[in-house]
């Protein structure tokens, strides 16, 4: 009897060990392969999808848009030019600037920027002398003007050139001077500071000429 029980018990132990070895070996292996294969598959599929999305929408667009906008604003600000000088921006005066011994007399017209901003001025003013014979328009001299920017409180000058009456007669009496700044429609009327009259002449040559802005120096006027 004892021998039979020992044999049965040994057989049961062997069977149990066989069952536990199969179950223990399969379960960790299967669980490990399942758990490792599933995350690995998810990472492989999700990583490539996330990188392009992050590069195109998450990082690229927000950074590129401000850079382009700021660059555009900087170039616009740098390229901006001052507005032209309007008549109301200027204090306009005239004074005799004839140098002794010159055959041609000169009146210097001063245009002072009285505004609180910079303004640009270029070219020729419109000039008419008011006389006893009517308005005498000034003819432009063949001179070039590259233009200038006047800071607040800064002046520029141009010249009016004419021949004074030396005939001894009354000539053409000058009563006043009308000046219109370049590209403006509003004029100012000034007292004529030069010789009181121009000679009466039938010459085709102009009796009054003007230069562009800056055609006489700051010491005149």
């Amino acid at each position: 009897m004892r021998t039979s029980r020992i044999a049965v018990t040994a057989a049961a132990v062997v069977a149990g060990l066989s069952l536990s070895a199969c179950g223990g070996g399969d379960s960790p292996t299967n669980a490990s392969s399942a758990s490792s294969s599933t995350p690995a598959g998810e990472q492989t599929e999700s990583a490539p999808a996330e990188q392009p999305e992050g590069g195109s929408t998450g990082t690229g667009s927000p950074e590129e848009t401000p850079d382009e906008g700021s660059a555009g604003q900087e170039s616009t600000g740098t390229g901006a030019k001052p507005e032209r000088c309007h008549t109301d921006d200027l204090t306009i005066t005239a004074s005799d600037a004839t140098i002794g011994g010159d055959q041609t007399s000169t009146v210097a017209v001063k245009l002072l920027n009285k505004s609180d901003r910079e303004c640009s001025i270029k070219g020729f003013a419109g000039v008419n002398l008011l006389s006893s014979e009517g308005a005498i328009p000034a003819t432009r001299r063949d001179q070039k003007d590259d233009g200038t920017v006047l800071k607040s409180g800064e002046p520029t000058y141009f010249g009016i050139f004419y021949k004074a009456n030396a005939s001894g007669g009354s000539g053409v009496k000058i009563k006043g001077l009308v000046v219109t700044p370049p590209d403006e429609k509003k004029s100012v009327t000034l007292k004529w500071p030069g010789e009181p009259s121009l000679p009466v002449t039938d010459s085709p040559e102009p009796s009054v000429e003007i230069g562009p802005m800056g055609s006489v120096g700051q010491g005149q006027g």
Side-chain angles (χ1 to χ4, degrees), residues 103-105 129 131-133 136 161-174 192 194-208:
Q103 294 182 349
T104 301
S105 300
L129 272 62
S131 77
S132 57
E133 304 297 327
I136 302 174
F161 310 99
Y162 67 99
K163 290 185 177 181
N165 178 28
S167 64
S170 60
V172 180
K173 294 182 179 180
I174 306 301
W192 176 247
E195 297 295 327
S197 65
L198 305 182
V200 178
T201 178
D202 295 329
S203 172
E205 294 183 1
S207 57
V208 182

Side-chain angles (χ1 to χ4, degrees), residues 25-39:
D26 291 342
S27 297
T29 303
N30 293 338
S32 175
S33 60
S35 61
S36 62
S37 61
T38 302

